[in-house]
Amino acid sequence: VLNRRCVEAAVMTGLALNCSINKKSLFDRKHYFYADLPAGYQITQQRVPIAVNGSLSYSFCTDNKMSQMVTKTVRIKQIQLEQDSGKSLHDDTRSQTLVDLNRAGVGLMEVVMEPDMCCGEEAAAAVRELQLILQTLGSSQAVMAEGQLRVDANVSVHHPGEPYGVRTEVKNINSIRFLAKAVDYEIQRQIEELESGGTVLNETRAFDSKLGCTVPMRDKEGKQDYRFMPEPNLPPLILYDAKSLPANMDHQQVVNIDWIHERLPDLPSVKRAKLVERYGILPEHSFTLLNEDGLAEFFESVVKQTPMKPKKVIGWILNDLLSYLKQHSLTVKESPVSSFLLADLLNLLEKKEISSTAAKQVLAELWKGEGKTPLEIVKEKKLELIQDQKELEQICQAVIDGQENEVIMMVLG
Amino acid sequence: VSAALKEGRVTPTELCQRCLSLVKSTKFLNAYVTVAEETALKQAEESEKRYRRGQPLGVLDGIPVAVKDNFNIAGIETTCASNMLKGYISPYNATVVQKLLDQGAVLLGKTNLDEFAMGSGSTDGVFGPVRNPWSYSRQYKEKSVPESHSEDEECNWVITGGSSGGSAAAVASFTCFAALGSDTGGSTRNPAAHCGVVGLKPTYGLISRHGLIPLVNSMDVPGILTRCVDDAAVVLGSLAGHDPKDSTTIQDNFEPFELPSLTDVSKLSIGIPKEYHAPGLSSEILALWSKAADLFKNAGAKVTEVSLPHTRYSIVCYHVLCTAEVASNMARFDGLEYG
């Protein structure tokens, strides 16, 4: 029996990726024997998938300083629904493989991209954007380390103007960083192979994250005959839109594409544009804000609580707060400095009660998470800016009085 | 018998016990794989309580039934007459089984079949072949040439047809009042014909296949075997209808019906497909077929010849589809899961 939520998630994702949704899609069985596939076949959509011909826009920086952002597009070939297999855990020390079947049969959405990307960085940026979109839609939590988002990279090299070369498939990539590394390594390996007169085999390789290279995977010889067969237990999946919906159809029983379309949340690209427009921050900043889970909300919350200009606030968020979080490997949620505290601090700065150097010191104190307010810390450490002119003169005079020799030397030249 | 139960002329437990003892005494038929004596008696007891309160669940309340061993029943071993499923105790009830139980039927046990319902003789299961009760009838004994060896008594029996042979034999030998079979390419109708009982193959999509271990997903249906046509209609009425657990059941509402007693056939139009007069049809069958047609004609019905031109392709298509689906469905029985 088909899982309704899977269909809805696939339609949402298809719409977010500008795909055409196939109103009628079919299910097939893909047969192969493997211990982690208990039924001996996997239900997938080989003939007519649920969504086709979309596009994904992504941006990345051409240098490390976040000043040059390039936007590119990758075409989405199709999105298909299929079943997951179990998980094989290879225990090489004891020469055994354990099979975990808890995952078997769970619904999967496979997004197939066209080979429009040319290096690891682009691939990583595209996948990152896809990850953000999926998380925004709620289709998936898309955490690669937990296997919620799995990426198989297909890499090939060719001279410009010539047809595409033989491709290899790289599996076992557990993070976006490793994706970039794996793709770049594979590109290099293939180039070296071809330049030394060898050929690239159409094979499946695994990425070894420890060694940073790809190695051939065992037992995948030649092309497999998957004996595709229409799935007899699942009738064709019919989706409706407002035009094609029959009048007497029960709303609960069908999936209405237009209904889903109306309820799509703001996609990351839209969110970023809104942030730039509303707060006047730079586009690169909006990327960083969205890239960190919860950071955009934190930023907006601080902005609400302080009259300081967002353009200044963003500096504190991205330079100070974010670097603290990264240093201590914390997420925004785990930050000991809440938006309230930071806003408090920035207010002091705005009112010119402290200098920005002092503010940084206060932040360092706040970071310890001892529960003190910024004001308390300022008073404790006597970091207040002295506003009183007379007091300042007195201090200066005291300094000069105490350093007679230096003063004489300065006056003399 | 349902009326008898209602009027109290016989109690469900008595009925159950009689059927169970009949099962034991007809053991040589090898119709049953598993006899669920304890649970059957318990179900009979429950049924009796309901009758005493005057609240039977329906016509099927207290009626002993048997179920072919490729339907899942919770807590009872389901083998499909195969060693691949030896020791497999299902954790759930097939939808049709659940419907029978909800009507108060008493489940006597699981009946024998061809292994995984692949066969048309009920001879290929690991528990051995099922013997046709008619092998022991006077007519058969008179027909067969007496070799006058007493050992021949043992081997001189006829098959029940298949693959639901156990169910057919169970019904024909009066051990139960209705039995569930399955029909993919005739597996209910075939044994019904061989054993002289009524076999009904419902239209695909009418009855849920959830819990029926699949052979050919696009052609399997649960089949009904009974001793008379009205009984079959009653059972169909309680089993048919949409099942959310089976996506291939049709959504429309099903209204159980009662067969009208047919006295006037003049408004009936019967077609005889000419392609069914296949080469190799025995003269005995042809004679019976013509006799049946004549019966209707003489009673005033319109009997005409019709043509079903694709008939000769049907067996070829069946083979292609069947083998593909069977290969797919059997891939999971690798001995690692299920028993």
Side-chain angles (χ1 to χ4, degrees):
Chain A
V1 180
L2 195 51
N3 182 329
R4 190 202 170 101
R5 183 79 187 92
C6 288
V7 178
E8 289 178 348
V11 173
M12 275 202 295
T13 312
L15 291 170
L17 294 175
N18 301 315
C19 296
S20 354
I21 308 287
N22 281 327
K23 294 227 188 62
K24 178 167 165 188
S25 54
L26 307 169
F27 290 96
D28 306 293
R29 285 190 185 179
K30 179 176 175 182
H31 298 84
Y32 61 94
F33 290 108
Y34 201 61
D36 68 11
L37 198 62
Y41 63 86
Q42 176 196 36
I43 298 183
T44 174
Q45 291 187 298
Q46 196 247 358
R47 288 169 294 155
V48 185
I50 191 166
V52 289
N53 294 337
S55 64
L56 170 65
S57 287
Y58 60 96
S59 305
F60 60 100
C61 314
T62 45
D63 59 20
N64 282 328
K65 296 199 198 86
M66 293 288 283
S67 48
Q68 279 278 354
M69 292 224 90
V70 178
T71 303
K72 289 191 113 179
T73 313
V74 60
R75 289 169 295 160
I76 304 288
K77 178 156 181 253
Q78 65 187 44
I79 299 183
Q80 64 201 43
L81 285 171
E82 49 182 48
Q83 274 183 319
D84 206 350
S85 62
K87 204 171 7 175
S88 293
L89 303 151
H90 299 290
D91 183 357
D92 291 321
T93 42
R94 277 181 234 148
S95 296
Q96 61 184 2
T97 301
L98 305 167
V99 180
D100 176 357
L101 288 177
N102 280 311
R103 210 178 67 177
V106 171
L108 275 185
M109 197 168 50
E110 181 167 317
V111 178
V112 183
M113 298 183 188
E114 301 278 12
D116 294 340
M117 298 162 281
C118 70
C119 60
E121 201 177 0
E122 290 193 12
V127 172
R128 178 78 188 115
E129 186 68 11
L130 179 64
Q131 201 178 36
L132 284 175
I133 293 179
L134 290 172
Q135 286 167 344
T136 310
L137 291 175
S139 301
S140 165
Q141 285 166 317
V143 175
M144 279 183 80
E146 309 217 352
Q148 293 162 346
L149 174 68
R150 280 170 255 161
V151 180
D152 295 334
N154 288 285
V155 183
S156 73
V157 297
H158 67 111
H159 288 300
E162 285 179 15
Y164 286 122
V166 176
R167 68 173 170 88
T168 61
E169 185 174 0
V170 183
K171 285 178 171 290
N172 195 36
I173 301 171
N174 296 327
S175 77
I176 301 211
R177 252 191 35 222
F178 288 151
L179 171 62
K181 278 211 178 116
V183 169
D184 288 330
Y185 174 85
E186 185 58 21
I187 291 176
Q188 206 48 47
R189 185 192 75 84
Q190 289 192 6
I191 292 177
E192 280 167 11
E193 184 69 37
L194 290 171
E195 284 184 344
S196 63
T199 52
V200 177
L201 296 165
N202 179 356
E203 60 177 344
T204 306
R205 299 176 74 89
F207 179 66
D208 185 328
S209 47
K210 286 197 212 99
L211 299 172
C213 65
T214 63
V215 290
M217 272 174 93
R218 43 202 162 116
D219 67 33
K220 280 254 178 159
E221 308 136 23
K223 283 197 140 192
Q224 286 223 355
D225 176 12
Y226 288 115
R227 292 175 284 141
F228 283 102
M229 177 181 106
E231 168 60 58
N233 282 325
L234 290 175
L237 176 62
I238 313 278
L239 300 170
Y240 298 94
D241 56 24
K243 266 188 277 172
S244 61
L245 191 62
N248 58 346
M249 190 76 77
D250 183 6
H251 169 81
Q252 290 299 319
Q253 290 291 325
V254 302
V255 174
N256 185 337
I257 302 174
D258 288 334
W259 191 84
I260 293 179
H261 194 87
E262 283 161 28
R263 282 160 185 73
L264 281 181
D266 274 344
L267 293 180
S269 48
V270 175
K271 277 194 199 167
R272 281 187 216 117
K274 281 191 180 166
L275 283 172
V276 170
E277 201 194 307
R278 193 178 294 170
Y279 301 110
I281 56 178
L282 294 172
E284 300 90 83
H285 296 161
S286 69
F287 268 90
T288 318
L289 279 183
L290 282 196
N291 262 349
E292 205 59 42
D293 192 24
L295 193 57
E297 288 78 22
F298 193 97
F299 167 67
E300 289 191 283
S301 167
V302 171
V303 166
K304 275 206 199 86
Q305 297 175 71
T306 171
M308 182 186 277
K309 284 219 170 60
K311 276 194 214 176
K312 279 178 91 179
V313 176
I314 195 81
W316 284 93
I317 300 278
L318 294 182
N319 298 332
D320 300 279
L321 182 77
L322 194 57
S323 57
Y324 268 125
L325 288 174
K326 290 289 178 210
Q327 251 172 42
H328 296 91
S329 298
L330 292 173
T331 63
V332 173
K333 284 197 194 69
E334 295 165 342
S335 167
V337 180
S338 68
S339 61
F340 176 72
L341 282 178
L342 185 58
D344 222 10
L345 174 60
L346 295 180
N347 281 339
L348 291 176
L349 186 56
E350 192 71 358
K351 285 190 265 179
K352 297 206 196 309
E353 285 183 33
I354 52 175
S355 69
S356 70
T357 340
K360 287 202 203 284
Q361 279 183 278
V362 175
L363 188 56
E365 273 301 309
L366 282 175
W367 204 256
K368 293 189 193 149
E370 286 163 6
K372 299 189 207 139
T373 67
L375 202 55
E376 284 168 3
I377 298 173
V378 166
K379 287 221 175 356
E380 220 182 87
K381 304 236 173 200
K382 296 207 198 309
L383 293 167
E384 309 93 323
L385 272 181
I386 302 172
Q387 311 282 15
D388 189 354
Q389 183 82 352
K390 262 200 161 179
E391 216 184 319
L392 281 170
E393 278 182 11
Q394 275 178 358
I395 292 173
C396 290
Q397 193 62 48
V399 172
I400 293 173
D401 289 342
Q403 307 289 338
E404 277 194 34
N405 290 332
E406 277 75 7
V407 171
I408 292 169
M409 282 180 71
M410 279 194 73
V411 166
L412 286 178
Chain B
V1 71
S2 186
L5 283 171
K6 230 177 171 177
E7 291 164 20
R9 279 184 275 144
V10 64
T11 64
T13 17
E14 212 184 310
L15 193 59
C16 181
Q17 276 160 346
R18 279 210 216 162
C19 286
L20 284 170
S21 65
L22 195 56
V23 169
K24 286 203 193 89
S25 53
T26 51
K27 218 160 175 193
F28 54 88
L29 291 176
N30 203 12
Y32 284 84
V33 170
T34 313
V35 180
E37 197 165 327
E38 271 177 42
T39 48
L41 286 168
K42 246 189 250 160
Q43 287 162 2
E45 239 181 79
E46 295 291 315
S47 174
E48 197 162 320
K49 287 189 203 152
R50 288 190 289 267
Y51 273 106
R52 271 197 238 126
R53 288 201 302 263
Q55 295 168 331
L57 290 166
V59 178
L60 287 173
D61 202 338
I63 302 290
V65 296
V67 167
K68 186 171 176 185
D69 208 11
N70 57 357
F71 286 93
N72 279 299
I73 301 192
I76 300 185
E77 197 184 8
T78 300
T79 63
C80 296
S82 172
N83 279 322
M84 295 309 280
L85 285 178
K86 193 157 146 188
Y88 169 65
I89 301 197
S90 172
Y92 69 103
N93 280 331
T95 302
V96 288
V97 170
Q98 190 58 50
K99 287 194 174 181
L100 286 178
L101 291 174
D102 289 342
Q103 289 283 312
V106 173
L107 235 55
L108 290 180
K110 311 295 289 296
T111 56
N112 206 349
L113 59 152
D114 281 309
E115 187 160 355
F116 281 115
M118 285 188 278
S120 44
S122 296
T123 47
D124 297 329
V126 295
F127 298 109
V130 184
R131 295 186 185 191
N132 197 327
W134 290 96
S135 337
Y136 301 94
S137 67
R138 185 175 36 91
Q139 294 101 315
Y140 180 66
K141 291 203 177 125
E142 282 171 3
K143 255 194 179 171
S144 52
V145 181
E147 291 283 310
S148 70
H149 288 293
S150 53
E151 303 111 63
D152 263 1
E153 277 279 319
E154 264 301 299
C155 348
N156 200 15
W157 50 271
V158 285
I159 59 169
T160 50
S163 56
S164 315
S167 291
V171 172
S173 56
F174 288 83
T175 56
C176 62
F177 288 85
L180 284 185
S182 71
D183 195 311
T184 306
S187 299
T188 293
R189 297 165 283 171
N190 184 338
H194 276 92
C195 296
V197 295
V198 173
L200 174 65
K201 175 202 175 298
T203 309
Y204 183 83
L206 189 59
I207 299 193
S208 168
R209 284 183 297 113
H210 177 80
L212 167 63
I213 296 180
L215 181 65
V216 182
N217 297 86
S218 44
M219 291 191 250
D220 285 347
V221 286
I224 301 171
L225 293 129
T226 53
R227 286 194 282 277
C228 74
V229 187
D230 289 304
D231 285 351
V234 167
V235 179
L236 181 66
S238 63
L239 293 183
H242 175 68
D243 182 11
K245 292 188 221 149
D246 182 352
S247 307
T248 54
T249 52
I250 44 175
Q251 306 259 359
D252 306 344
N253 279 328
F254 176 79
E255 294 292 329
F257 54 88
E258 229 180 70
L259 287 174
S261 24
L262 205 59
T263 42
D264 177 20
V265 297
S266 58
K267 299 215 186 72
L268 213 54
S269 192
I270 300 183
I272 309 276
K274 65 176 183 201
E275 286 85 359
Y276 281 21
H277 187 155
L281 201 58
S282 79
S283 49
E284 197 181 339
I285 299 294
L286 192 55
L288 285 168
W289 193 12
S290 309
K291 189 169 163 194
D294 290 337
L295 270 172
F296 274 106
K297 204 168 6 171
N298 295 335
K302 190 167 130 200
V303 181
T304 45
E305 188 185 83
V306 294
S307 173
L308 295 175
H310 299 108
T311 306
R312 60 196 166 111
Y313 301 121
S314 60
I315 196 72
V316 182
C317 290
Y318 174 77
H319 270 289
V320 173
L321 294 172
C322 188
T323 40
E325 290 224 26
V326 167
S328 175
N329 287 326
M330 296 296 141
R332 72 189 68 191
F333 296 118
D334 50 9
L336 288 176
E337 305 103 27
Y338 310 118

